[in-house]
Amino acid sequence: MVPDKPRLYRSREQRVIAGVAAGIALHVGVSATAVRLAFVVLFLLNGLGALLLYAAYWALVAMPPGDGPPRRRPWVQVAALAVLGVTLVVLEVGAEVPGISPVAGLLVAVVAAGAGIIWHQADRERRRRWRATVPSAPWLGAVVTEPSRRSFLLRFIGGEVLVAIGLIGMVAVYSPVNRFDLSALLSGVVFALVGLAGVALVAAPLVWRTVEQLRAEQAGRIREQERAELAAMVHDQVLHTLALIMRNAGDVKMVQRLARGQERMLRNWLYKPTGSPTERFAAALEQAAAEVEDTYAITVETVVVGDREVDERVGALVAAAREALVNAARHAKVQTVSLYAEVEPEQVSVFVRDRGAGFDLSAVQERRHGVRGSIIGRMDRHGGRAEIRSVPGDGTEVRLTLPTPEGATAAKSG
Amino acid sequence: MTDEGNDQTTDAEPADGPDVGRRRLRVFLVDDHAMFRAGVRAELGAHLDVVGEASTVAEALTGVAALEPDVVLLDVHMPDGGGRAVLEALRRTHPQVRFLALSVSDAAEDVIGLIRAGARGYVTKTISPDELTAAIRRVADGDAVFSPRLAGFVLDAFAARPDAPVADPELDQLTNREREVLRLLARGYAYKEIARELFISIKTVETHVSNVLRKLQMSNRYELSRWAADRRLV
């Protein structure tokens, strides 16, 4: 044996049907086209023989191990090959000597194809995995562990159907009365079905138990993972924050800021579904509030009802709300600011309210560009509205409303 | 226990009206954190009588039954069943005792079970002493106490969703007025401010909020049962 001759595998990369020809070509060291031509010639000489030979190769020769699923072939090519093949077979069958029934040969090929499909589902690696999962019944492992269970089942069932059709066909052809006996065929099918049902009945509890067991195992793994995640989070964040608090115990503002930031982080971690601030309105608003809390060491009591996606206009609304929060934090001289936002079908509204110093609107608005440009102007530019109510000594409320695209069209048509 | 000559209470009143001519309310604390109980006791002592405290469900059951306080401040999370266990054991035998849930979490999902079990309101532990006193008074009067976040949560839960089946319109939907009141609550308005904003009396605001509380307790809306179920509170 020549040592460096590649082992006989079916070819994954150059396959046309099942990679047999290319595999042989690689093994023998000739061109794949030559081998394919040889097969075609053989087919023309003795169609059935060539078919059986190919099927045998296909069934017995494995794919090389590893590297993922075989290359997908365009279905047009497959269809063309199928048509070609069927035509050839029909021609062959027509020209075949009437000694052995050509139909029988065809049926044998069908059975072989079905068996081959099933057989190749069960390569060695897979079988080992199945056995590892369910030692008592490896075939069960096949059913419950396959990652792509659907395609696996489809192929498996497809293979079985082919085998069944082939066998039934053969029974029909070679039945003792030597004619197509429908009732005998039917009873055969019924017997087969009853047998299958019996097997299913016996196996069902076992299958169920195994599936449950696997699910429980998986849940356990997930729990373990969550616990590890929690431990990491506590270690990285909470302990770190506590250490910082101890070091900054004299600085009240700093301690408050640290505690608030950590609290927010923990809350988010515990209760919130994660939404990206660049995508969801509520998340964006909460992020803006968190930034203001951190920067100015105040508390923003945030309540958001409903949610929607962030687009340019909603982004502008969030920016205006942020500006209002900053104003409240800088000028109201209070510890708490309320932020309320509600998303309705026709509009989005945001309210920023404090019970702080307040100001005289007519006196202040002319010279305070923050209010004019960043809040009122911004809302105007995006088709929204900003309204500011403030009473000196009794706090301020900024009300921002932005009609949604749906709301705007409804208003126009209405 | 702690009332030695605190008759000058009126000059330190919270924003919601003086309690002239009222007897001092008797309050019971249930919380498993001793430090927190001590803090609340110190804060409330000027305005209310803290008649007892408990750190476990069992202690709470015997204590409340023996002392019959006006209001029980109830921690949501405790090791042996939490506030809900206390509520369920006591609400039938002591219907005159009112419960106010107190939680460190402002995730309203956490307290929805307590509200549905019969608590008259819910506040977070970060609440200021004045506000807590006002909340206790309000609960003692038979009214409801909603934090802004709980108000937002209720608005969310009762949002008019076209696909949500409405079994009982009286219980499963909020009126427009109730919605307005809840919105203002969520915006941080006090009852007095809500009354001024909507040109109604404080009493009317309280009635609206109590009605919302009743709906929150009785409605079978899918969102409510789902939230409760998610937290294993049903």
Side-chain angles (χ1 to χ4, degrees):
Chain A
M1 191 176 174
V2 188
D4 58 347
K5 193 183 244 181
R7 270 198 61 183
L8 180 56
Y9 281 124
R10 282 184 295 122
S11 170
R12 201 184 289 274
E13 290 80 22
Q14 303 170 39
R15 69 189 194 140
V16 172
I17 299 171
V20 169
I24 293 172
L26 203 67
H27 179 68
V28 184
V30 294
S31 145
T33 318
V35 180
R36 284 189 191 122
L37 267 177
F39 261 114
V40 171
V41 169
L42 203 60
F43 192 87
L44 290 173
L45 291 178
N46 184 339
L48 196 58
L51 213 59
L52 286 177
L53 186 64
Y54 193 93
Y57 263 115
W58 178 42
L60 294 177
V61 178
M63 283 260 179
D67 27 60
R71 180 175 62 91
R72 290 241 166 252
R73 287 153 304 184
W75 67 269
V76 181
Q77 198 186 343
V78 176
L81 276 171
V83 169
L84 188 70
V86 168
T87 317
L88 280 173
V89 167
V90 168
L91 285 177
E92 281 293 312
V93 166
E96 197 68 63
V97 276
I100 52 160
S101 161
V103 180
L106 223 104
L107 289 170
V108 168
V110 167
V111 171
I117 289 177
I118 295 177
W119 177 257
H120 284 302
Q121 292 299 313
D123 58 39
R124 194 180 301 166
E125 171 55 29
R126 273 211 177 106
R127 275 193 297 259
R128 201 176 58 228
R129 206 165 60 225
W130 298 345
R131 206 169 295 125
T133 319
V134 193
S136 58
W139 60 273
L140 263 183
V143 180
V144 293
T145 55
E146 275 307 312
S148 56
R149 201 172 300 166
R150 206 169 61 135
S151 93
F152 175 78
L153 276 181
L154 274 181
R155 284 184 189 207
F156 205 87
I157 291 169
E160 275 176 5
V161 166
L162 281 183
V163 172
I165 289 176
L167 289 178
I168 290 169
M170 244 178 307
V171 169
V173 171
Y174 287 105
S175 58
V177 278
N178 210 10
R179 63 186 164 82
F180 193 74
D181 186 344
L182 192 65
S183 67
L185 183 62
L186 270 181
S187 64
V189 170
V190 168
F191 274 129
L193 284 180
V194 168
L196 273 178
V199 169
L201 208 64
V202 170
L206 189 52
V207 172
W208 180 247
R209 213 164 42 233
T210 315
V211 169
E212 279 300 295
Q213 202 177 331
L214 283 171
R215 199 172 293 155
E217 251 170 54
Q218 205 170 16
R221 259 203 309 280
I222 291 171
R223 259 200 306 281
E224 181 55 33
Q225 211 169 358
E226 275 172 358
R227 204 199 60 77
E229 206 178 302
L230 174 69
M233 198 273 304
V234 167
H235 185 264
D236 293 352
Q237 307 252 359
V238 181
L239 293 182
H240 189 232
T241 306
L242 286 175
L244 280 175
I245 286 178
M246 282 187 262
R247 284 176 55 166
N248 294 288
D251 184 347
V252 175
K253 272 217 143 87
M254 182 67 173
V255 168
Q256 276 185 349
R257 190 173 304 173
L258 284 167
R260 198 170 292 126
Q262 183 61 63
E263 186 200 0
R264 185 177 339 109
M265 196 253 125
L266 275 176
R267 266 188 212 302
N268 277 335
W269 196 80
L270 283 172
Y271 299 113
K272 294 277 170 58
T274 44
S276 156
T278 53
E279 285 164 10
R280 304 302 295 177
F281 171 66
L285 209 58
E286 268 155 20
Q287 192 190 41
E291 284 165 12
V292 174
E293 280 191 337
D294 280 348
T295 315
Y296 298 96
I298 58 158
T299 303
V300 179
E301 250 192 38
T302 311
V303 179
V304 183
V305 173
D307 203 354
R308 67 173 287 132
E309 273 139 45
V310 172
D311 56 22
E312 195 208 333
R313 298 167 70 238
V314 171
L317 177 67
V318 172
R322 189 181 189 286
E323 195 60 32
L325 284 173
V326 168
N327 278 340
R330 282 169 55 186
H331 305 295
K333 313 221 168 13
V334 283
Q335 275 305 301
T336 310
V337 178
S338 297
L339 167 65
Y340 173 68
E342 185 169 359
V343 179
E344 290 164 285
E346 64 280 359
Q347 65 170 16
V348 186
S349 24
V350 178
F351 301 86
V352 176
R353 181 170 192 274
D354 65 73
R355 285 211 179 81
F359 57 91
D360 185 356
L361 264 164
S362 55
V364 171
Q365 227 171 40
E366 289 311 314
R367 58 190 165 84
R368 228 166 65 188
H369 290 280
V371 173
R372 271 240 171 277
S374 308
I375 301 180
I376 301 177
R378 185 180 264 141
M379 291 310 292
D380 279 349
R381 277 197 299 281
H382 290 88
R385 219 159 52 82
E387 189 191 333
I388 299 169
R389 296 212 317 189
S390 188
V391 179
D394 199 27
T396 307
E397 184 170 61
V398 179
R399 304 170 173 185
L400 311 171
T401 48
L402 183 73
T404 58
E406 306 88 59
T409 46
K412 239 173 253 165
S413 65
Chain B
M1 272 174 164
T2 59
D3 54 340
E4 55 274 330
N6 262 328
D7 289 337
Q8 76 281 22
T9 48
T10 37
D11 56 24
E13 265 315 304
D16 283 85
D19 59 349
V20 186
R22 268 203 242 192
R23 68 185 177 84
R24 286 165 68 91
L25 290 174
R26 302 170 70 246
V27 178
F28 192 95
L29 300 178
V30 182
D31 196 302
D32 55 329
H33 293 95
M35 265 174 74
F36 182 77
R37 290 200 308 271
V40 172
R41 186 184 266 278
E43 285 169 4
L44 296 181
H47 310 291
L48 310 159
D49 282 344
V50 179
V51 293
E53 46 185 73
S55 61
T56 64
V57 172
E59 276 175 46
L61 295 185
T62 50
V64 172
L67 293 164
E68 302 224 317
D70 298 306
V71 176
V72 176
L73 277 186
L74 201 54
D75 190 15
V76 175
H77 295 286
M78 287 199 300
D80 46 356
R84 187 170 172 88
V86 178
L87 257 175
E88 285 188 334
L90 289 173
R91 71 178 157 180
R92 293 205 196 292
T93 51
H94 298 80
Q96 75 287 1
V97 178
R98 305 238 155 82
F99 293 87
L100 176 60
L102 200 63
S103 166
V104 70
S105 146
D106 56 2
E109 299 93 316
D110 263 10
V111 271
I112 201 74
L114 257 82
I115 299 264
R116 281 170 81 80
R120 303 275 325 157
Y122 144 68
V123 292
T124 54
K125 287 185 174 176
T126 50
I127 191 171
S128 74
D130 280 355
E131 283 177 312
L132 181 57
T133 310
I136 291 171
R137 291 234 164 86
R138 186 156 278 133
V139 167
D141 285 346
D143 293 319
V145 172
F146 279 29
S147 71
R149 200 172 273 261
L150 180 58
F153 171 78
V154 177
L155 279 171
D156 229 351
F158 282 88
R161 294 194 179 85
D163 52 331
V166 176
D168 181 351
E170 209 280 312
L171 278 181
D172 294 347
Q173 287 173 345
L174 299 179
T175 66
N176 284 338
R177 207 48 157 178
E178 286 162 357
R179 228 174 259 284
E180 278 177 277
V181 170
L182 282 177
R183 281 202 181 107
L184 288 168
L185 272 176
R187 276 156 69 179
Y189 280 59
Y191 283 32
K192 198 171 56 180
E193 295 164 323
I194 295 174
R196 201 170 46 198
E197 180 80 17
L198 298 178
F199 305 107
I200 53 181
S201 72
I202 294 182
K203 195 69 227 160
T204 313
V205 176
E206 287 170 346
T207 310
H208 284 309
V209 179
S210 294
N211 286 339
V212 173
L213 181 82
R214 190 175 53 86
K215 291 180 182 181
L216 194 54
Q217 288 173 340
M218 313 288 288
S219 167
N220 285 319
R221 273 190 78 109
Y222 167 70
E223 286 83 1
L224 296 175
S225 36
R226 188 198 50 182
W227 272 310
D230 282 354
R231 302 270 157 190
R232 302 221 168 69
L233 290 171
V234 159

